[in-house]
Amino acid sequence: EVLLRMHSVGICGSDVHYWQHGRIGDFVVKDPMVLGHEASGTVVKVGSGVTHLKPGDRVAIEPGVPREMDEFCKSGRYNLSPTIFFCATPPDDGNLCRYYKHSASYCYKLPDNVTFEEGALIEPLSVGIHACKRAGVTLGSKVFVSGSGPIGLVNVIVAKMMGAAVVVVTDLSASRLQKAKEVGADFTIQVKNETPQEVASKVESVLGCMPEITVECTGVQACIQAGIYATRSGGTLVLVGLGPEMVTVPIVNAAVREVDIRGIFRYCNTWPVAIALLASKRINVKPLVTHRFPLEKALEAFETTKRGEGVKVMLKCDPTDQNP
C-alpha cells in the first residue's frame, strides 16, 4: 500500500446521488462514508513491498481494487469481481480527503507533462475507453452518443481518438452540446419533446445513414428506446448510463435487426492506455474542467454539480498548491 497526499478530486454524478439519496441500486449508504473516486495525489509513504513508487511521485488512482484473485481477475475482467473494493461505493470510503491510503498497484505514476487534474480525469475518461472498446469503435465508425454530460463527452473524445469518422451527440441542453462540439463532435442535435423514433430519424438524417454504434449515456428510458431505433441493423448499442432498474424497450426491434445490446460496468485495464494518450498529447481532456473549489468549499462544489452547472467540478485537496 501507499499513503498519498491528495491533490485533485473530481465530483461525479454518483457522488451527488449518494449524498442526496443514500443509495444507488443495491448499494446503500448505512454509515458515514467519504465520497470521491476521481483522484490524483502525491506519494508520501510506501509499504515495504512497493518497488514501482517512491515518496514524491505524482500518481493517478484507479478506485477499483479486487480483493481476491477470482475467475474474473484471472480472465482480465477484474471490474466484474463481486468482492472488489471501490472508492465511494458503500461501504468503502472514497478519497475526497487530505490523506488517503490505497493499493500501490492501482496507483499509476504520472509523467511530468500530465497534470494532477488530467490524472483525476482518467477515471471518467476510462469509462469512455471501456465503452468504446466494448462498442467496437474503429476506423471509419459512425457513432451516435446519447447525452452530453461528462460521460457523453469522454465518449466523444475517445470515439474520435479510436478512428470514428463521424460522431453525433444529442442532449436537452444547448450549452452541453456546445461543449460536445468543442471536444470534437461533428454534429449535435438538441432534443426537446420528440418521440424516440423521431430522435432516431434525426440522427439518421444528419449522418446520412444509421450509425453502426450507439453509446447511451443517460439511462433515460426514452433515450434507450431512441438508441435501439437509431442503431443500424447488425450494429451495437452500449448502455453506459443507468436509470431505473426496469425499463421498457423495443427489444423485438433490436432482436430482429441483430442489434447487439451491451452493458458496461466501470472499466478495467484503462489507466496505462489513458496515461499514454495524455502524455503523447493525442487527447485533450482539459476543457472538461469548468469549476474548481478548495476542499473547504466541498459543499459549494457539490451544490454546483447538483445544479448541473458547467461540466466537471474539481476539488483541490492540497492547500499548499497554488496552481490552477
Side-chain angles (χ1 to χ4, degrees):
E1 289 193 323
V2 291
L3 177 66
L4 305 160
R5 185 170 80 244
M6 300 307 296
H7 189 287
S8 297
V9 180
I11 300 176
C12 170
S14 71
D15 292 319
V16 175
H17 201 89
Y18 280 127
W19 167 50
Q20 289 294 301
H21 305 282
R23 69 178 300 155
I24 294 176
D26 296 336
F27 298 108
V28 183
V29 180
K30 298 194 170 100
D31 299 295
M33 180 180 82
V34 178
L35 290 169
H37 58 268
E38 307 178 357
S40 63
T42 308
V43 176
V44 180
K45 264 186 178 169
V46 300
S48 55
V50 178
T51 53
H52 71 292
L53 293 173
K54 60 185 187 307
D57 283 348
R58 300 160 59 253
V59 297
I61 300 164
E62 179 170 2
V65 181
R67 286 189 170 94
E68 57 184 299
M69 178 55 78
D70 58 18
E71 69 258 45
F72 297 106
C73 293
K74 287 177 191 168
S75 67
R77 299 178 74 175
Y78 57 85
N79 56 313
L80 302 177
S81 176
T83 59
I84 197 166
F85 166 92
F86 198 89
C87 293
T89 294
D92 305 333
D93 280 325
N95 42 30
L96 182 49
C97 46
R98 297 254 188 248
Y99 289 92
Y100 173 73
K101 185 167 100 281
H102 201 68
S103 164
S105 34
Y106 292 81
C107 295
Y108 301 81
K109 195 170 178 329
L110 291 172
D112 294 341
N113 68 342
V114 177
T115 66
F116 281 116
E117 239 170 44
E118 289 175 301
L121 289 166
I122 291 174
E123 196 280 341
L125 183 59
S126 287
V127 177
I129 294 170
H130 191 58
C132 287
K133 276 187 175 174
R134 294 263 300 149
V137 178
T138 187
L139 210 56
S141 296
K142 295 184 176 67
V143 180
F144 164 31
V145 175
S146 166
S148 191
I151 295 300
L153 296 172
V154 294
N155 274 286
V156 172
I157 292 168
V158 175
K160 292 296 282 189
M161 177 69 229
M162 286 172 77
V166 206
V167 177
V168 57
V169 185
T170 53
D171 201 276
L172 296 166
S173 154
S175 62
R176 289 202 154 184
L177 290 172
Q178 183 50 45
K179 190 57 98 166
K181 272 255 183 296
E182 257 177 71
V183 301
D186 299 281
F187 299 104
T188 58
I189 298 169
Q190 187 173 5
V191 290
K192 295 187 170 66
N193 45 15
E194 294 89 340
T195 66
Q197 286 97 329
E198 284 166 348
V199 172
S201 65
K202 280 194 169 183
V203 168
E204 182 178 5
S205 68
V206 301
L207 283 178
C209 63
M210 295 170 85
E212 301 109 329
I213 290 164
T214 299
V215 184
E216 209 300 297
C217 301
T218 71
V220 174
Q221 177 169 288
C223 297
I224 299 171
Q225 293 170 351
I228 289 176
Y229 292 130
T231 308
R232 181 185 310 182
S233 298
T236 305
L237 166 65
V238 175
L239 302 177
V240 184
L242 300 176
E245 186 185 1
M246 287 294 177
V247 179
T248 304
V249 292
I251 202 76
V252 174
N253 176 291
V256 299
R257 296 194 304 109
E258 297 194 3
V259 171
D260 293 349
I261 300 175
R262 296 187 145 201
I264 69 156
F265 186 59
R266 299 169 181 160
Y267 33 67
C268 57
N269 307 302
T270 54
W271 259 254
V273 176
I275 289 170
L277 291 172
L278 291 166
S280 62
K281 303 291 176 212
R282 294 297 301 277
I283 58 170
N284 180 18
V285 292
K286 288 179 176 145
L288 297 178
V289 182
T290 52
H291 295 70
R292 296 172 179 88
F293 293 90
L295 186 58
E296 296 75 20
K297 294 193 176 165
L299 188 58
E300 205 181 314
F302 270 79
E303 296 282 5
T304 304
T305 310
K306 185 184 157 197
R307 287 194 300 270
E309 289 175 28
V311 181
K312 181 55 68 179
V313 177
M314 201 57 79
L315 278 151
K316 301 297 185 179
C317 303
D318 186 351
T320 63
D321 180 69
Q322 297 310 308
N323 297 321

mmCIF file of all heavy atoms in Angstrom, residues 205-256:
data_model
loop_
_atom_site.group_PDB
_atom_site.id
_atom_site.type_symbol
_atom_site.label_atom_id
_atom_site.label_comp_id
_atom_site.label_asym_id
_atom_site.label_seq_id
_atom_site.Cartn_x
_atom_site.Cartn_y
_atom_site.Cartn_z
ATOM 1 N N SER A 205 -30.714 11.389 -40.366
ATOM 2 C CA SER A 205 -30.634 12.425 -41.404
ATOM 3 C C SER A 205 -29.361 13.267 -41.306
ATOM 4 O O SER A 205 -28.782 13.607 -42.329
ATOM 5 C CB SER A 205 -31.899 13.293 -41.435
ATOM 6 O OG SER A 205 -31.966 14.073 -40.274
ATOM 7 N N VAL A 206 -28.872 13.545 -40.090
ATOM 8 C CA VAL A 206 -27.610 14.318 -40.026
ATOM 9 C C VAL A 206 -26.397 13.481 -40.434
ATOM 10 O O VAL A 206 -25.457 13.995 -41.030
ATOM 11 C CB VAL A 206 -27.337 14.998 -38.648
ATOM 12 C CG1 VAL A 206 -28.438 15.952 -38.269
ATOM 13 C CG2 VAL A 206 -27.074 14.007 -37.553
ATOM 14 N N LEU A 207 -26.437 12.166 -40.140
ATOM 15 C CA LEU A 207 -25.317 11.298 -40.520
ATOM 16 C C LEU A 207 -25.375 10.893 -41.992
ATOM 17 O O LEU A 207 -24.369 10.525 -42.580
ATOM 18 C CB LEU A 207 -25.326 10.016 -39.672
ATOM 19 C CG LEU A 207 -24.827 10.094 -38.225
ATOM 20 C CD1 LEU A 207 -24.963 8.732 -37.561
ATOM 21 C CD2 LEU A 207 -23.386 10.561 -38.167
ATOM 22 N N GLY A 208 -26.573 10.919 -42.561
ATOM 23 C CA GLY A 208 -26.741 10.429 -43.929
ATOM 24 C C GLY A 208 -26.930 8.922 -43.964
ATOM 25 O O GLY A 208 -27.073 8.317 -45.021
ATOM 26 N N CYS A 209 -26.912 8.296 -42.795
ATOM 27 C CA CYS A 209 -27.132 6.850 -42.660
ATOM 28 C C CYS A 209 -27.350 6.563 -41.176
ATOM 29 O O CYS A 209 -27.186 7.454 -40.344
ATOM 30 C CB CYS A 209 -25.917 6.062 -43.172
ATOM 31 S SG CYS A 209 -24.439 6.402 -42.213
ATOM 32 N N MET A 210 -27.704 5.330 -40.864
ATOM 33 C CA MET A 210 -27.845 4.975 -39.445
ATOM 34 C C MET A 210 -26.467 4.650 -38.870
ATOM 35 O O MET A 210 -25.644 4.047 -39.567
ATOM 36 C CB MET A 210 -28.785 3.769 -39.292
ATOM 37 C CG MET A 210 -30.220 4.060 -39.713
ATOM 38 S SD MET A 210 -31.220 2.567 -39.804
ATOM 39 C CE MET A 210 -31.730 2.389 -38.099
ATOM 40 N N PRO A 211 -26.190 5.035 -37.636
ATOM 41 C CA PRO A 211 -24.882 4.742 -37.045
ATOM 42 C C PRO A 211 -24.721 3.255 -36.731
ATOM 43 O O PRO A 211 -25.681 2.608 -36.334
ATOM 44 C CB PRO A 211 -24.902 5.560 -35.744
ATOM 45 C CG PRO A 211 -26.348 5.664 -35.379
ATOM 46 C CD PRO A 211 -27.083 5.752 -36.697
ATOM 47 N N GLU A 212 -23.489 2.745 -36.911
ATOM 48 C CA GLU A 212 -23.235 1.341 -36.536
ATOM 49 C C GLU A 212 -23.188 1.189 -35.022
ATOM 50 O O GLU A 212 -23.385 0.104 -34.502
ATOM 51 C CB GLU A 212 -21.872 0.849 -37.039
ATOM 52 C CG GLU A 212 -21.644 0.898 -38.511
ATOM 53 C CD GLU A 212 -20.650 1.987 -38.897
ATOM 54 O OE1 GLU A 212 -20.560 3.024 -38.224
ATOM 55 O OE2 GLU A 212 -19.972 1.767 -39.902
ATOM 56 N N ILE A 213 -22.857 2.297 -34.360
ATOM 57 C CA ILE A 213 -22.634 2.230 -32.915
ATOM 58 C C ILE A 213 -23.380 3.348 -32.203
ATOM 59 O O ILE A 213 -23.330 4.510 -32.609
ATOM 60 C CB ILE A 213 -21.126 2.334 -32.607
ATOM 61 C CG1 ILE A 213 -20.424 1.042 -33.065
ATOM 62 C CG2 ILE A 213 -20.862 2.602 -31.118
ATOM 63 C CD1 ILE A 213 -18.929 1.170 -33.182
ATOM 64 N N THR A 214 -24.083 2.989 -31.144
ATOM 65 C CA THR A 214 -24.711 3.983 -30.272
ATOM 66 C C THR A 214 -24.188 3.781 -28.863
ATOM 67 O O THR A 214 -24.142 2.650 -28.366
ATOM 68 C CB THR A 214 -26.253 3.842 -30.284
ATOM 69 O OG1 THR A 214 -26.728 4.055 -31.620
ATOM 70 C CG2 THR A 214 -26.911 4.863 -29.357
ATOM 71 N N VAL A 215 -23.788 4.893 -28.236
ATOM 72 C CA VAL A 215 -23.329 4.848 -26.848
ATOM 73 C C VAL A 215 -24.322 5.672 -26.036
ATOM 74 O O VAL A 215 -24.393 6.893 -26.180
ATOM 75 C CB VAL A 215 -21.894 5.415 -26.713
ATOM 76 C CG1 VAL A 215 -21.405 5.256 -25.277
ATOM 77 C CG2 VAL A 215 -20.933 4.721 -27.677
ATOM 78 N N GLU A 216 -25.125 4.982 -25.217
ATOM 79 C CA GLU A 216 -26.213 5.629 -24.484
ATOM 80 C C GLU A 216 -25.716 6.012 -23.082
ATOM 81 O O GLU A 216 -25.420 5.149 -22.277
ATOM 82 C CB GLU A 216 -27.401 4.667 -24.391
ATOM 83 C CG GLU A 216 -28.749 5.370 -24.314
ATOM 84 C CD GLU A 216 -28.883 6.285 -23.116
ATOM 85 O OE1 GLU A 216 -28.840 5.789 -21.977
ATOM 86 O OE2 GLU A 216 -29.038 7.508 -23.318
ATOM 87 N N CYS A 217 -25.654 7.326 -22.818
ATOM 88 C CA CYS A 217 -25.029 7.799 -21.570
ATOM 89 C C CYS A 217 -26.009 8.460 -20.602
ATOM 90 O O CYS A 217 -25.580 9.124 -19.658
ATOM 91 C CB CYS A 217 -23.912 8.793 -21.903
ATOM 92 S SG CYS A 217 -22.640 8.087 -22.959
ATOM 93 N N THR A 218 -27.309 8.308 -20.811
ATOM 94 C CA THR A 218 -28.270 8.988 -19.933
ATOM 95 C C THR A 218 -28.999 8.042 -18.983
ATOM 96 O O THR A 218 -29.313 8.416 -17.855
ATOM 97 C CB THR A 218 -29.343 9.750 -20.739
ATOM 98 O OG1 THR A 218 -30.221 8.796 -21.358
ATOM 99 C CG2 THR A 218 -28.721 10.647 -21.802
ATOM 100 N N GLY A 219 -29.312 6.835 -19.455
ATOM 101 C CA GLY A 219 -30.099 5.910 -18.641
ATOM 102 C C GLY A 219 -31.592 6.206 -18.685
ATOM 103 O O GLY A 219 -32.386 5.519 -18.052
ATOM 104 N N VAL A 220 -31.989 7.227 -19.441
ATOM 105 C CA VAL A 220 -33.399 7.603 -19.559
ATOM 106 C C VAL A 220 -34.097 6.644 -20.524
ATOM 107 O O VAL A 220 -33.584 6.348 -21.607
ATOM 108 C CB VAL A 220 -33.524 9.067 -20.066
ATOM 109 C CG1 VAL A 220 -34.978 9.438 -20.330
ATOM 110 C CG2 VAL A 220 -32.881 10.026 -19.073
ATOM 111 N N GLN A 221 -35.274 6.154 -20.114
ATOM 112 C CA GLN A 221 -35.980 5.158 -20.922
ATOM 113 C C GLN A 221 -36.156 5.580 -22.386
ATOM 114 O O GLN A 221 -35.838 4.807 -23.301
ATOM 115 C CB GLN A 221 -37.344 4.859 -20.293
ATOM 116 C CG GLN A 221 -38.183 3.886 -21.113
ATOM 117 C CD GLN A 221 -39.404 3.402 -20.365
ATOM 118 O OE1 GLN A 221 -39.310 2.622 -19.425
ATOM 119 N NE2 GLN A 221 -40.575 3.850 -20.797
ATOM 120 N N ALA A 222 -36.640 6.790 -22.607
ATOM 121 C CA ALA A 222 -36.877 7.261 -23.985
ATOM 122 C C ALA A 222 -35.583 7.289 -24.798
ATOM 123 O O ALA A 222 -35.591 7.037 -26.007
ATOM 124 C CB ALA A 222 -37.520 8.648 -23.970
ATOM 125 N N CYS A 223 -34.471 7.582 -24.130
ATOM 126 C CA CYS A 223 -33.173 7.644 -24.821
ATOM 127 C C CYS A 223 -32.673 6.246 -25.193
ATOM 128 O O CYS A 223 -32.078 6.054 -26.260
ATOM 129 C CB CYS A 223 -32.140 8.349 -23.957
ATOM 130 S SG CYS A 223 -32.556 10.065 -23.601
ATOM 131 N N ILE A 224 -32.927 5.280 -24.319
ATOM 132 C CA ILE A 224 -32.545 3.893 -24.634
ATOM 133 C C ILE A 224 -33.379 3.407 -25.821
ATOM 134 O O ILE A 224 -32.866 2.764 -26.743
ATOM 135 C CB ILE A 224 -32.726 2.970 -23.406
ATOM 136 C CG1 ILE A 224 -31.830 3.433 -22.249
ATOM 137 C CG2 ILE A 224 -32.412 1.515 -23.781
ATOM 138 C CD1 ILE A 224 -32.091 2.719 -20.927
ATOM 139 N N GLN A 225 -34.658 3.757 -25.805
ATOM 140 C CA GLN A 225 -35.529 3.401 -26.934
ATOM 141 C C GLN A 225 -35.011 4.027 -28.232
ATOM 142 O O GLN A 225 -34.883 3.339 -29.255
ATOM 143 C CB GLN A 225 -36.958 3.872 -26.646
ATOM 144 C CG GLN A 225 -37.620 3.116 -25.500
ATOM 145 C CD GLN A 225 -38.945 3.731 -25.057
ATOM 146 O OE1 GLN A 225 -39.301 4.824 -25.497
ATOM 147 N NE2 GLN A 225 -39.650 3.033 -24.186
ATOM 148 N N ALA A 226 -34.681 5.307 -28.168
ATOM 149 C CA ALA A 226 -34.142 6.008 -29.348
ATOM 150 C C ALA A 226 -32.847 5.334 -29.810
ATOM 151 O O ALA A 226 -32.599 5.205 -31.013
ATOM 152 C CB ALA A 226 -33.892 7.478 -29.030
ATOM 153 N N GLY A 227 -32.040 4.891 -28.844
ATOM 154 C CA GLY A 227 -30.783 4.221 -29.169
ATOM 155 C C GLY A 227 -30.995 2.943 -29.966
ATOM 156 O O GLY A 227 -30.262 2.659 -30.916
ATOM 157 N N ILE A 228 -32.016 2.185 -29.604
ATOM 158 C CA ILE A 228 -32.329 0.961 -30.349
ATOM 159 C C ILE A 228 -32.810 1.299 -31.762
ATOM 160 O O ILE A 228 -32.316 0.753 -32.744
ATOM 161 C CB ILE A 228 -33.366 0.098 -29.594
ATOM 162 C CG1 ILE A 228 -32.719 -0.521 -28.350
ATOM 163 C CG2 ILE A 228 -33.941 -1.001 -30.516
ATOM 164 C CD1 ILE A 228 -33.663 -1.324 -27.462
ATOM 165 N N TYR A 229 -33.757 2.224 -31.854
ATOM 166 C CA TYR A 229 -34.286 2.607 -33.174
ATOM 167 C C TYR A 229 -33.208 3.206 -34.080
ATOM 168 O O TYR A 229 -33.236 3.025 -35.292
ATOM 169 C CB TYR A 229 -35.431 3.616 -33.024
ATOM 170 C CG TYR A 229 -36.685 3.050 -32.399
ATOM 171 C CD1 TYR A 229 -37.302 3.702 -31.339
ATOM 172 C CD2 TYR A 229 -37.259 1.868 -32.886
ATOM 173 C CE1 TYR A 229 -38.464 3.202 -30.760
ATOM 174 C CE2 TYR A 229 -38.418 1.347 -32.315
ATOM 175 C CZ TYR A 229 -39.019 2.015 -31.244
ATOM 176 O OH TYR A 229 -40.157 1.518 -30.679
ATOM 177 N N ALA A 230 -32.271 3.926 -33.483
ATOM 178 C CA ALA A 230 -31.262 4.636 -34.277
ATOM 179 C C ALA A 230 -30.178 3.723 -34.832
ATOM 180 O O ALA A 230 -29.637 3.969 -35.911
ATOM 181 C CB ALA A 230 -30.610 5.725 -33.430
ATOM 182 N N THR A 231 -29.839 2.658 -34.089
ATOM 183 C CA THR A 231 -28.683 1.839 -34.465
ATOM 184 C C THR A 231 -28.960 1.000 -35.715
ATOM 185 O O THR A 231 -30.004 0.363 -35.832
ATOM 186 C CB THR A 231 -28.292 0.901 -33.294
ATOM 187 O OG1 THR A 231 -28.154 1.692 -32.113
ATOM 188 C CG2 THR A 231 -26.978 0.185 -33.571
ATOM 189 N N ARG A 232 -27.996 1.033 -36.624
ATOM 190 C CA ARG A 232 -28.107 0.268 -37.861
ATOM 191 C C ARG A 232 -28.244 -1.227 -37.568
ATOM 192 O O ARG A 232 -27.677 -1.722 -36.584
ATOM 193 C CB ARG A 232 -26.834 0.498 -38.689
ATOM 194 C CG ARG A 232 -26.813 -0.236 -40.029
ATOM 195 C CD ARG A 232 -25.494 -0.077 -40.746
ATOM 196 N NE ARG A 232 -25.099 1.330 -40.822
ATOM 197 C CZ ARG A 232 -23.993 1.740 -41.438
ATOM 198 N NH1 ARG A 232 -23.164 0.872 -41.992
ATOM 199 N NH2 ARG A 232 -23.701 3.025 -41.489
ATOM 200 N N SER A 233 -28.958 -1.951 -38.405
ATOM 201 C CA SER A 233 -29.072 -3.413 -38.272
ATOM 202 C C SER A 233 -27.674 -4.025 -38.247
ATOM 203 O O SER A 233 -26.814 -3.634 -39.043
ATOM 204 C CB SER A 233 -29.865 -3.998 -39.433
ATOM 205 O OG SER A 233 -31.176 -3.471 -39.428
ATOM 206 N N GLY A 234 -27.464 -4.939 -37.314
ATOM 207 C CA GLY A 234 -26.146 -5.560 -37.179
ATOM 208 C C GLY A 234 -25.173 -4.737 -36.351
ATOM 209 O O GLY A 234 -24.026 -5.136 -36.156
ATOM 210 N N GLY A 235 -25.633 -3.578 -35.869
ATOM 211 C CA GLY A 235 -24.767 -2.686 -35.094
ATOM 212 C C GLY A 235 -24.797 -2.987 -33.604
ATOM 213 O O GLY A 235 -25.326 -4.015 -33.167
ATOM 214 N N THR A 236 -24.230 -2.071 -32.833
ATOM 215 C CA THR A 236 -24.084 -2.283 -31.384
ATOM 216 C C THR A 236 -24.567 -1.072 -30.600
ATOM 217 O O THR A 236 -24.228 0.073 -30.931
ATOM 218 C CB THR A 236 -22.597 -2.546 -31.032
ATOM 219 O OG1 THR A 236 -22.116 -3.632 -31.814
ATOM 220 C CG2 THR A 236 -22.418 -2.862 -29.546
ATOM 221 N N LEU A 237 -25.334 -1.344 -29.568
ATOM 222 C CA LEU A 237 -25.764 -0.313 -28.617
ATOM 223 C C LEU A 237 -25.109 -0.625 -27.282
ATOM 224 O O LEU A 237 -25.268 -1.731 -26.754
ATOM 225 C CB LEU A 237 -27.298 -0.344 -28.476
ATOM 226 C CG LEU A 237 -27.919 0.419 -27.294
ATOM 227 C CD1 LEU A 237 -27.692 1.920 -27.412
ATOM 228 C CD2 LEU A 237 -29.414 0.120 -27.194
ATOM 229 N N VAL A 238 -24.347 0.330 -26.752
ATOM 230 C CA VAL A 238 -23.731 0.139 -25.440
ATOM 231 C C VAL A 238 -24.452 1.017 -24.425
ATOM 232 O O VAL A 238 -24.611 2.227 -24.637
ATOM 233 C CB VAL A 238 -22.220 0.466 -25.460
ATOM 234 C CG1 VAL A 238 -21.629 0.368 -24.064
ATOM 235 C CG2 VAL A 238 -21.488 -0.496 -26.384
ATOM 236 N N LEU A 239 -24.897 0.388 -23.331
ATOM 237 C CA LEU A 239 -25.618 1.116 -22.285
ATOM 238 C C LEU A 239 -24.639 1.517 -21.189
ATOM 239 O O LEU A 239 -24.126 0.665 -20.465
ATOM 240 C CB LEU A 239 -26.737 0.242 -21.706
ATOM 241 C CG LEU A 239 -27.778 -0.259 -22.717
ATOM 242 C CD1 LEU A 239 -28.790 -1.169 -22.026
ATOM 243 C CD2 LEU A 239 -28.487 0.901 -23.400
ATOM 244 N N VAL A 240 -24.380 2.815 -21.105
ATOM 245 C CA VAL A 240 -23.433 3.332 -20.119
ATOM 246 C C VAL A 240 -24.186 3.980 -18.961
ATOM 247 O O VAL A 240 -23.915 3.718 -17.799
ATOM 248 C CB VAL A 240 -22.462 4.354 -20.761
ATOM 249 C CG1 VAL A 240 -21.423 4.814 -19.749
ATOM 250 C CG2 VAL A 240 -21.783 3.759 -21.992
ATOM 251 N N GLY A 241 -25.143 4.840 -19.302
ATOM 252 C CA GLY A 241 -25.939 5.500 -18.270
ATOM 253 C C GLY A 241 -26.918 4.525 -17.651
ATOM 254 O O GLY A 241 -27.469 3.662 -18.344
ATOM 255 N N LEU A 242 -27.106 4.637 -16.342
ATOM 256 C CA LEU A 242 -28.024 3.733 -15.653
ATOM 257 C C LEU A 242 -29.148 4.522 -15.004
ATOM 258 O O LEU A 242 -28.902 5.499 -14.301
ATOM 259 C CB LEU A 242 -27.278 2.927 -14.582
ATOM 260 C CG LEU A 242 -26.128 2.059 -15.093
ATOM 261 C CD1 LEU A 242 -25.408 1.402 -13.921
ATOM 262 C CD2 LEU A 242 -26.612 1.017 -16.075
ATOM 263 N N GLY A 243 -30.389 4.098 -15.275
ATOM 264 C CA GLY A 243 -31.547 4.758 -14.691
ATOM 265 C C GLY A 243 -32.318 3.780 -13.830
ATOM 266 O O GLY A 243 -31.724 3.071 -13.018
ATOM 267 N N PRO A 244 -33.632 3.698 -14.021
ATOM 268 C CA PRO A 244 -34.433 2.768 -13.211
ATOM 269 C C PRO A 244 -34.074 1.311 -13.515
ATOM 270 O O PRO A 244 -33.575 1.005 -14.594
ATOM 271 C CB PRO A 244 -35.874 3.070 -13.634
ATOM 272 C CG PRO A 244 -35.768 3.781 -14.931
ATOM 273 C CD PRO A 244 -34.458 4.493 -14.929
ATOM 274 N N GLU A 245 -34.336 0.442 -12.531
ATOM 275 C CA GLU A 245 -33.983 -0.970 -12.687
ATOM 276 C C GLU A 245 -34.748 -1.616 -13.842
ATOM 277 O O GLU A 245 -34.195 -2.404 -14.602
ATOM 278 C CB GLU A 245 -34.287 -1.709 -11.381
ATOM 279 C CG GLU A 245 -33.810 -3.147 -11.397
ATOM 280 C CD GLU A 245 -34.199 -3.933 -10.155
ATOM 281 O OE1 GLU A 245 -34.868 -3.368 -9.265
ATOM 282 O OE2 GLU A 245 -33.843 -5.109 -10.093
ATOM 283 N N MET A 246 -36.034 -1.290 -13.963
ATOM 284 C CA MET A 246 -36.853 -1.846 -15.041
ATOM 285 C C MET A 246 -37.122 -0.770 -16.087
ATOM 286 O O MET A 246 -37.562 0.324 -15.751
ATOM 287 C CB MET A 246 -38.195 -2.350 -14.486
ATOM 288 C CG MET A 246 -38.073 -3.627 -13.696
ATOM 289 S SD MET A 246 -37.563 -4.994 -14.756
ATOM 290 C CE MET A 246 -37.442 -6.294 -13.525
ATOM 291 N N VAL A 247 -36.838 -1.122 -17.341
ATOM 292 C CA VAL A 247 -37.018 -0.171 -18.438
ATOM 293 C C VAL A 247 -37.754 -0.881 -19.570
ATOM 294 O O VAL A 247 -37.457 -2.037 -19.884
ATOM 295 C CB VAL A 247 -35.639 0.326 -18.944
ATOM 296 C CG1 VAL A 247 -35.800 1.289 -20.109
ATOM 297 C CG2 VAL A 247 -34.846 0.990 -17.827
ATOM 298 N N THR A 248 -38.724 -0.202 -20.158
ATOM 299 C CA THR A 248 -39.460 -0.775 -21.291
ATOM 300 C C THR A 248 -38.752 -0.381 -22.584
ATOM 301 O O THR A 248 -38.559 0.807 -22.840
ATOM 302 C CB THR A 248 -40.901 -0.232 -21.307
ATOM 303 O OG1 THR A 248 -41.497 -0.524 -20.043
ATOM 304 C CG2 THR A 248 -41.721 -0.870 -22.410
ATOM 305 N N VAL A 249 -38.323 -1.381 -23.354
ATOM 306 C CA VAL A 249 -37.608 -1.096 -24.605
ATOM 307 C C VAL A 249 -38.141 -1.947 -25.750
ATOM 308 O O VAL A 249 -38.672 -3.038 -25.518
ATOM 309 C CB VAL A 249 -36.082 -1.341 -24.468
ATOM 310 C CG1 VAL A 249 -35.442 -0.336 -23.536
ATOM 311 C CG2 VAL A 249 -35.772 -2.756 -24.040
ATOM 312 N N PRO A 250 -37.993 -1.462 -26.996
ATOM 313 C CA PRO A 250 -38.442 -2.245 -28.172
ATOM 314 C C PRO A 250 -37.453 -3.364 -28.470
ATOM 315 O O PRO A 250 -36.713 -3.326 -29.447
ATOM 316 C CB PRO A 250 -38.473 -1.186 -29.286
ATOM 317 C CG PRO A 250 -37.457 -0.171 -28.879
ATOM 318 C CD PRO A 250 -37.469 -0.140 -27.377
ATOM 319 N N ILE A 251 -37.459 -4.377 -27.615
ATOM 320 C CA ILE A 251 -36.453 -5.435 -27.694
ATOM 321 C C ILE A 251 -36.613 -6.287 -28.954
ATOM 322 O O ILE A 251 -35.626 -6.775 -29.507
ATOM 323 C CB ILE A 251 -36.480 -6.301 -26.401
ATOM 324 C CG1 ILE A 251 -35.155 -7.020 -26.205
ATOM 325 C CG2 ILE A 251 -37.632 -7.289 -26.382
ATOM 326 C CD1 ILE A 251 -34.049 -6.161 -25.700
ATOM 327 N N VAL A 252 -37.839 -6.440 -29.435
ATOM 328 C CA VAL A 252 -38.050 -7.234 -30.655
ATOM 329 C C VAL A 252 -37.441 -6.516 -31.859
ATOM 330 O O VAL A 252 -36.811 -7.140 -32.717
ATOM 331 C CB VAL A 252 -39.554 -7.533 -30.863
ATOM 332 C CG1 VAL A 252 -39.785 -8.224 -32.212
ATOM 333 C CG2 VAL A 252 -40.076 -8.403 -29.719
ATOM 334 N N ASN A 253 -37.573 -5.198 -31.882
ATOM 335 C CA ASN A 253 -36.946 -4.411 -32.943
ATOM 336 C C ASN A 253 -35.442 -4.675 -32.966
ATOM 337 O O ASN A 253 -34.843 -4.917 -34.029
ATOM 338 C CB ASN A 253 -37.232 -2.918 -32.709
ATOM 339 C CG ASN A 253 -36.546 -2.008 -33.716
ATOM 340 O OD1 ASN A 253 -35.321 -1.879 -33.720
ATOM 341 N ND2 ASN A 253 -37.335 -1.383 -34.580
ATOM 342 N N ALA A 254 -34.815 -4.657 -31.777
ATOM 343 C CA ALA A 254 -33.373 -4.914 -31.685
ATOM 344 C C ALA A 254 -33.055 -6.352 -32.091
ATOM 345 O O ALA A 254 -32.090 -6.606 -32.816
ATOM 346 C CB ALA A 254 -32.892 -4.651 -30.257
ATOM 347 N N ALA A 255 -33.884 -7.284 -31.641
ATOM 348 C CA ALA A 255 -33.619 -8.702 -31.894
ATOM 349 C C ALA A 255 -33.678 -9.045 -33.381
ATOM 350 O O ALA A 255 -32.760 -9.672 -33.913
ATOM 351 C CB ALA A 255 -34.608 -9.561 -31.117
ATOM 352 N N VAL A 256 -34.744 -8.607 -34.043
ATOM 353 C CA VAL A 256 -34.898 -8.997 -35.449
ATOM 354 C C VAL A 256 -33.919 -8.264 -36.365
ATOM 355 O O VAL A 256 -33.663 -8.696 -37.488
ATOM 356 C CB VAL A 256 -36.352 -8.815 -35.965
ATOM 357 C CG1 VAL A 256 -37.314 -9.691 -35.171
ATOM 358 C CG2 VAL A 256 -36.777 -7.352 -35.937
#
